[in-house]
Amino acid sequence: MAENNRASAGQPPTFANGRENADQMPLREVLDNLPVAIYITDAEGRLTYFNAAAVKFSGRVPKLNTDQWCVTWKLFNPDGSPLPHNQCPMAVALQEGRPVVGSEAIAERPDGKRIWFTPYPIPIFDSRDKLTGGINMLIDITGRKSQEHSKNLLSAIIESSDDAIISKNLDGIITSWNKSAERIFGYTSEEAVGQPVTLLIPNDRLDEETIILKELRRGNRIDHFETVRVRKDGTQLHVSLTISPICDSTGQVVGASKIARDITARKKSEKKLQEMNETLEDRVKERTAALLTYQEQLKSLTSELSKAEEHERQRLATELHDNLGQILAMSKMKLDLLLKHSLPGPSRSEAVEIADLTNSAITFTRELMSDLKPPPSLEKEGLAANIGWVANKMKKHNLDVTVREDDQLKVLTEEVRRTLCQCVRELLFNVIKHADVQEAQITLSRKGEQVQVIVEDEGKGFKIKDQIPTPVKNGGFGLFNIYERLDWLGGRMKINTEPGKGTKINLLIPITDDDSTGFVAADRVPPAPEYPERNGDDSQIRILLVDDHQMVRTGLRNLIEGEEDLLVIAEAVNGRDAVEQTREMDLDVIVMDVNMPEMDGIEATQIISSGNSNVRIIGLSLHDKAEVIEAMKRAGASAYLTKTEAFESLSAVIRSEAAIARGIAD
């Protein structure tokens, strides 16, 4: 066997049965402390020594005199196929009696981690050239292999990229050039590498390179910089550049990598699209304007329909009050007058029955009027009172509504106030029809320059796709109508609901100045008639009748003038007329209708009572609602009667009020 392939028995340490000679101690210490894995076997490949680095390398503690060929747990060839231990480089070295150089293998530890390594097995011979064992050193090359893999992968990515990838130094000299750079710019790698990158830049854009190099020296990256570059044939192309600094191991910027993407086709498409857009833009503007006009028309129509609905309700309520209600009231008065006289038994019974039917008709008419239109007392009240009236109307539908209010000023125009009441009424009817509950809550509050009305219940809830309700075949028109009405007035609606989790709907609407409240000076009424002077004995009670219906005034006059101590000295057709006449006459009692045109009885009562504390005012109306009565009394009325009570009570109440008035006067 060749001498240079053998190791003398006296040079490497030999350890028999794991023991060592005294003169071998220094070498043993050296091997023990080496940072690389080293182990020794006998001629049959059984392990007779291994150092600590071999244990760390293999991830296990080998068994001396038992394990063969290698300290590793499992071995694999570089291609990943299993490598039996008896075919490993150490086994080959012992079997063939020669060192094995330049091989690589993969070791797997018991924990599953794999290590690339290079072995250096050397057989050991004694002085008679007899094989006595072998020594092996295992060098971990995992890091190097990883770097080689990354480098190869990066090289493959660069070469397969559709974008031109170029590197340059800080002097602007090209140092690398991939295949796509050849395809895009037309220069081969041999032609481009070593040339200044300005080779690709048009003369009118050379200052771009100065700016780019300045940014790179600062360590800054340039992303998606769109510009123009030149091909080898002189043609220009549009490119998008991404330029990143390249740093050495100390972090110093030494160059740059540049990715150039050809966006010429995209730019052409953009230009063509722009040309198309120029012709489309005018048409889009026209159609958009038409659509906006249509939307405004729809909103206007929604508003007008809402107003028309409210006007029709007002008209019907007025017709009921001014005609049917007054006729029924007068019929009741005449029946009461008839019953005051002696009638034959059958006739009296029929008259009583007719009176009862008339009372029922009056009650029904009152309720219908109340459903169609709030009582006149609420027209001068705030939002809370109007919403409270709407909530109270739900009781007959078995829905108990609680109204909470934060007492902050909420000034709204009459149109806005009525719209909010209509919206709340619609939402409460939705609760009645769909929520399957008997309770609901309304919260009124002021949010900056907006009024917020929240209607909520703990009922069934429902699914909603977005905050703009869309009418469908089976419903949704109510919410859509509310949304459109609020939008027209500058407000908005927010719906919060889920199936089984109740519903909460917020209505928000801007606060506005309302000049419609308070007394507005009216046109001058016709001059008042000549009023009769008081008699010397001052025995008759002087009365002003105020009602906008001639029929009612005539009936009341006939009723009053049947009494010797009562005298109707004048009549007024509305509140404004009553205010003017009161300033010029000497009287004791005013019988004041509540619901009248131009100025209602509540406002007229307030004006008269504030200027004349002696006169007594008796409110008279078809309405029997507590809020109407309270409104008249707050305005200054000292008594209140319904027109159905007038026959039995009016004369007595006039006398009682006149006595108080004269007592005050005295």
Side-chain angles (χ1 to χ4, degrees):
M1 187 170 291
E3 185 65 30
N4 60 352
N5 288 339
R6 299 180 179 178
S8 171
Q11 293 175 354
T14 58
F15 305 100
N17 299 321
R19 299 179 65 83
E20 55 190 318
N21 298 325
D23 60 350
Q24 296 171 333
M25 284 292 291
L27 184 56
R28 168 66 181 269
E29 290 179 0
V30 172
L31 294 178
D32 283 346
N33 291 287
L34 283 175
V36 295
I38 294 178
Y39 67 91
I40 299 174
T41 70
D42 59 17
E44 283 72 34
R46 290 186 294 269
L47 268 64
T48 59
Y49 167 81
F50 54 83
N51 66 356
V55 174
K56 183 177 180 182
F57 177 88
S58 63
R60 61 189 288 269
V61 179
K63 295 180 181 180
L64 292 175
N65 302 315
T66 300
D67 288 353
Q68 277 187 297
W69 316 119
C70 194
V71 294
T72 56
W73 184 53
K74 290 182 180 180
L75 288 171
F76 297 89
N77 289 305
D79 62 3
S81 61
L83 174 62
H85 277 67
N86 60 5
Q87 297 177 17
C88 71
M90 183 62 164
V92 173
L94 292 176
Q95 292 166 5
E96 298 182 0
R98 63 176 180 85
V100 177
V101 181
S103 64
E104 293 180 356
I106 303 171
E108 182 177 313
R109 295 174 176 173
D111 62 5
K113 183 177 180 180
R114 291 191 174 190
I115 302 172
W116 278 81
F117 70 96
T118 296
Y120 293 91
I122 301 174
I124 301 173
F125 300 88
D126 62 13
S127 59
R128 295 187 296 274
D129 285 341
K130 180 181 178 182
L131 181 68
T132 60
I135 184 170
N136 197 2
M137 179 173 64
L138 308 179
I139 304 298
D140 186 347
I141 61 170
T142 304
R144 192 192 79 198
K145 283 293 183 181
S146 178
Q147 290 178 355
E148 288 177 358
H149 175 74
S150 297
K151 183 177 180 180
N152 293 336
L153 179 62
L154 181 60
S155 178
I157 292 173
I158 291 174
E159 288 304 314
S160 62
S161 173
D162 289 335
D163 297 328
I165 301 178
I166 306 166
S167 64
K168 63 182 180 180
N169 60 26
L170 291 181
D171 294 325
I173 302 301
I174 299 171
T175 56
S176 69
W177 186 267
N178 73 342
K179 291 292 184 183
S180 289
E182 292 185 2
R183 174 179 55 82
I184 292 174
F185 293 107
Y187 294 98
T188 65
S189 178
E190 291 76 13
E191 292 173 323
V193 173
Q195 296 295 320
V197 76
T198 52
L199 178 73
L200 309 175
I201 303 176
N203 291 333
D204 59 347
R205 293 178 179 265
L206 289 175
D207 58 331
E208 291 180 358
E209 181 63 12
T210 303
I211 296 171
I212 290 171
L213 289 174
K214 185 177 180 180
E215 289 298 312
L216 288 172
R217 289 189 178 95
R218 293 174 178 173
N220 295 332
R221 172 187 170 98
I222 300 171
D223 283 321
H224 306 298
F225 172 54
E226 295 189 1
T227 185
V228 176
R229 291 295 180 259
V230 182
R231 292 188 178 96
K232 181 179 179 180
D233 61 8
T235 59
Q236 293 188 348
L237 71 158
H238 292 274
V239 294
S240 173
L241 301 179
T242 298
I243 307 169
S244 303
I246 298 174
C247 301
D248 61 15
S249 58
T250 66
Q252 185 73 25
V253 177
V254 295
S257 67
K258 179 184 295 186
I259 299 175
R261 175 166 295 179
D262 186 355
I263 59 172
T264 304
R266 193 195 80 190
K267 287 292 185 179
K268 288 181 178 178
S269 298
E270 288 177 355
K271 184 178 180 181
K272 184 178 290 186
L273 183 61
Q274 183 178 0
E275 292 173 353
M276 293 175 61
N277 285 340
E278 289 176 357
T279 60
L280 287 173
E281 189 172 351
D282 291 339
R283 283 185 289 170
V284 170
K285 285 182 179 179
E286 291 175 2
R287 293 190 179 185
T288 301
L291 178 60
L292 290 174
T293 301
Y294 180 64
Q295 288 177 335
E296 290 301 315
Q297 289 173 343
L298 282 179
K299 288 183 179 181
S300 178
L301 178 60
T302 301
S303 176
E304 291 304 318
L305 287 174
S306 177
K307 290 178 181 178
E309 177 189 357
E310 179 61 21
H311 290 161
E312 186 62 16
R313 295 169 68 89
Q314 297 279 335
R315 188 190 68 80
L316 289 174
T318 301
E319 289 293 330
L320 287 172
H321 176 272
D322 292 351
N323 294 293
L324 181 59
Q326 305 302 327
I327 292 171
L328 288 172
M330 290 308 304
S331 298
K332 179 63 168 55
M333 288 183 190
K334 290 184 178 296
L335 281 169
D336 289 342
L337 184 62
L338 183 62
L339 288 170
K340 189 175 181 181
H341 301 287
S342 297
L343 295 175
S347 298
R348 184 172 185 82
S349 297
E350 289 183 5
V352 169
E353 184 177 353
I354 293 172
D356 290 339
L357 291 172
T358 304
N359 279 334
S360 297
I362 291 172
T363 300
F364 175 79
T365 303
R366 283 173 179 163
E367 288 299 320
L368 185 55
M369 286 165 51
S370 181
D371 286 340
L372 291 171
K373 176 184 176 183
S377 60
L378 291 180
E379 293 182 2
K380 305 303 177 184
E381 297 291 335
L383 178 63
N386 283 263
I387 294 294
W389 175 81
V390 173
N392 189 57
K393 299 299 292 181
M394 298 298 115
K395 288 183 178 179
K396 68 179 182 180
H397 300 286
N398 298 319
L399 182 66
D400 187 14
V401 182
T402 303
V403 180
R404 293 189 291 267
E405 209 256 342
D406 65 359
D407 295 326
Q408 293 190 57
L409 183 64
K410 304 174 184 67
V411 182
L412 301 171
T413 63
E414 181 180 352
E415 179 183 8
V416 172
R417 187 172 66 247
R418 285 183 178 177
T419 298
L420 279 176
C421 287
Q422 292 171 9
C423 294
V424 169
R425 181 176 180 274
E426 182 74 28
L427 292 175
L428 291 177
F429 274 118
N430 281 349
V431 174
I432 293 169
K433 291 185 288 185
H434 306 299
D436 195 21
V437 292
Q438 294 182 327
E439 293 181 352
Q441 297 81 42
I442 300 175
T443 304
L444 309 177
S445 60
R446 177 168 179 162
K447 300 294 182 183
E449 295 304 312
Q450 290 184 315
V451 169
Q452 176 177 255
V453 181
I454 299 176
V455 180
E456 55 187 320
D457 65 79
E458 297 180 359
K460 292 181 178 180
F462 55 93
K463 290 182 179 180
I464 184 169
K465 292 183 179 180
D466 52 52
Q467 287 296 314
I468 302 178
T470 303
V472 294
K473 182 178 181 181
N474 297 325
F477 289 94
L479 290 176
F480 175 75
N481 190 24
I482 292 172
Y483 176 87
E484 289 295 328
R485 280 187 282 180
L486 290 175
D487 185 60
W488 179 254
L489 295 174
R492 56 193 175 91
M493 175 173 67
K494 182 180 179 182
I495 304 172
N496 186 1
T497 183
E498 288 183 39
K501 295 186 178 181
T503 301
K504 181 178 180 180
I505 298 181
N506 291 35
L507 309 179
L508 287 163
I509 202 159
I511 292 175
T512 56
D513 294 332
D514 184 4
D515 296 328
S516 63
T517 59
F519 175 66
V520 180
D523 294 334
R524 181 73 179 173
V525 297
E530 294 293 331
Y531 303 113
E533 299 292 336
R534 286 186 182 271
N535 294 329
D537 59 4
D538 199 25
S539 60
Q540 286 186 309
I541 298 171
R542 297 162 65 84
I543 303 164
L544 170 65
L545 293 180
V546 185
D547 198 293
D548 57 320
H549 295 90
Q550 177 65 46
M551 178 179 61
V552 174
R553 295 198 306 275
T554 301
L556 292 175
R557 177 184 284 274
N558 292 337
L559 177 64
I560 292 170
E561 290 183 341
E563 308 290 334
E564 293 183 357
D565 60 334
L566 305 181
L567 174 64
V568 176
I569 64 170
E571 297 178 9
V573 298
N574 55 54
R576 182 187 300 174
D577 191 8
V579 170
E580 292 296 327
Q581 293 197 47
T582 303
R583 292 171 180 166
E584 303 178 19
M585 71 174 62
D586 180 15
L587 51 85
D588 299 301
V589 175
I590 300 174
V591 178
M592 179 77 73
D593 188 19
V594 174
N595 193 15
M596 294 181 292
E598 296 192 45
M599 182 187 294
D600 61 40
I602 297 172
E603 187 174 349
T605 298
Q606 184 176 9
I607 296 171
I608 293 170
S609 61
S610 64
N612 187 346
S613 59
N614 296 333
V615 69
R616 307 294 286 182
I617 301 175
I618 301 172
L620 188 66
S621 175
L622 284 174
H623 293 284
D624 62 352
K625 300 297 182 183
E627 55 263 31
V628 179
I629 299 172
E630 289 300 319
M632 276 296 287
K633 289 187 175 181
R634 284 198 303 272
S638 54
Y640 186 93
L641 294 173
T642 65
K643 290 182 179 179
T644 54
E645 300 171 319
F647 180 80
E648 294 100 342
S649 308
L650 183 58
S651 297
V653 172
I654 289 174
R655 292 187 182 99
S656 175
E657 293 300 315
I660 296 173
R662 291 181 177 184
I664 293 174
D666 293 340

